[in-house]
């Protein structure tokens, strides 16, 4: 039976973006998606903001983009001008956005550093001459890294508008169990524009959940 067009399925609007407070270098999911039970009824954004295991990165710009990129090989035969068969030989899933709040906490995520390099106190923060820097409230040390370093992974959640329900409120929740910032990112300090942090997360599958990257949930509250 054919379905009729439905304007309720047209989605417009930005998403709130959360990263796990903890990191992992073991290849295991960092943070599970918290329970979204409607007792009491509230949005996933409110649930995550009240959970110490997640951090709201604040404002974003240029939206949020989720890309699914399969890679197919092909088999050619003499009797056909096109491929006779395609086979899947790889894929990747990416999530991209731009942090509009230029905090050191967000820069720390973009640089994909471990928790030991964030929020050092003033006594640990010295100039090149070895003298303590006065007035330090927060700092991120740029990690040099060593050979054989394991990549730093986080879990991600984005909460945006979903298809409009006939009653109540609806939202779409994107959850990625393993993600890491892996692309180059540059930001500037300019007199006529804000300082933004572009970031691209590579999502990775979890073997214990049938190689799933995460989930996308439509929910009403």
């Amino acid at each position: 039976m054919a379905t009729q067009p439905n304007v309720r399925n047209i989605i417009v609007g930005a998403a709130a973006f959360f990263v796990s407070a903890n990191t992992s270098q073991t290849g295991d999911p960092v943070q599970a998606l918290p329970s979204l039970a409607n007792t009491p009824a509230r949005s996933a954004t409110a649930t995550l903001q009240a959970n110490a295991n997640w951090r709201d990165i604040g404002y974003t710009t240029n939206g949020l983009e989720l890309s699914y990129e399969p890679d197919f090989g092909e088999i050619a035969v003499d009797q056909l001008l096109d491929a006779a068969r395609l086979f899947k030989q790889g894929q990747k899933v990416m999530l991209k956005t731009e942090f509009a709040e230029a905090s050191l906490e967000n820069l720390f995520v973009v640089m994909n550093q471990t928790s030991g390099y964030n929020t050092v106190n003033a006594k640990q923060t010295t100039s090149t001459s070895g003298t303590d820097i006065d007035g330090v409230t927060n700092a991120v040390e740029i990690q040099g890294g060593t050979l054989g370093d394991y990549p730093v992974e986080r879990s991600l959640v984005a909460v945006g508008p979903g298809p409009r329900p006939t009653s109540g409120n609806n939202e779409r929740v994107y959850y990625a169990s393993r993600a890491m910032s892996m692309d180059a990112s540059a930001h500037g300090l300019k007199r006529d524009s804000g300082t933004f942090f572009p970031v691209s997360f590579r999502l990775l599958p979890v073997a214990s959940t049938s190689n799933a990257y995460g989930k996308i949930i439509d929910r009403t509250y």
Side-chain angles (χ1 to χ4, degrees), residues 11-44:
I11 298 175
V12 179
F17 196 83
F18 297 83
V19 298
S20 59
N22 299 313
T23 61
S24 172
Q25 292 177 280
T26 64
D28 297 318
V30 182
Q31 192 66 51
L33 183 68
S35 172
L36 300 178
N38 282 331
T39 49
R42 64 176 178 176
S43 68

Side-chain angles (χ1 to χ4, degrees), residues 18 32-56 157 159 171 173 219 221:
F18 297 83
L33 183 68
S35 172
L36 300 178
N38 282 331
T39 49
R42 64 176 178 176
S43 68
T45 298
T47 298
L48 290 161
Q49 288 175 337
N51 191 319
N53 292 320
W54 295 92
R55 186 177 70 83
D56 189 342
V157 177
V159 183
E171 62 187 1
V173 181
R219 66 184 297 267
Y221 63 95

Side-chain angles (χ1 to χ4, degrees), residues 104-125:
L104 289 184
E105 289 84 359
N106 286 346
L107 183 61
F108 164 72
V109 172
V110 172
M111 289 183 172
N112 205 46
Q113 298 195 160
T114 59
S115 56
Y117 287 83
N118 187 38
T119 318
V120 296
N121 63 46
K123 292 301 181 184
Q124 296 171 315
T125 306

